[in-house]
Amino acid sequence: MVDPKILSTITFCVPGPSNPRRRTDVTVILVEGAVKNYAAYIGAGRDARWVRKYGNKMTYQEALTFFPSMVLEEARYRK
């Protein structure tokens, strides 16, 4: 199996759920699949490879929130 190519990565900090002073890193990635489709994943931490493997897949609408400057075609977005 071929690993998906990471097209874009965004990392930011959010306040922790139990302690707002403690920050948690969040990474969002856009990956290209084997058949020229793509999907976005979100996960805790800064390791894009970890997020690619274990992160939560985002819907097309959620992906548009994080990648507004990129042209995302809904027909090519993995459901």
Side-chain angles (χ1 to χ4, degrees), residues 25-77:
D25 290 330
V26 176
T27 299
V28 179
I29 62 169
L30 183 67
V31 297
E32 181 179 47
V35 292
K36 300 297 180 191
N37 58 358
Y38 41 73
Y41 295 87
I42 188 168
R46 293 185 162 269
D47 186 352
R49 292 175 299 168
W50 186 91
V51 173
R52 180 183 65 197
K53 189 170 183 179
Y54 300 109
N56 294 319
K57 186 175 175 298
M58 303 172 76
T59 66
Y60 175 73
Q61 292 300 323
E62 291 169 332
L64 287 176
T65 302
F66 288 97
F67 301 102
S69 63
M70 301 187 80
V71 180
L72 297 179
E73 298 173 36
E74 189 169 8
R76 289 181 54 202
Y77 195 82

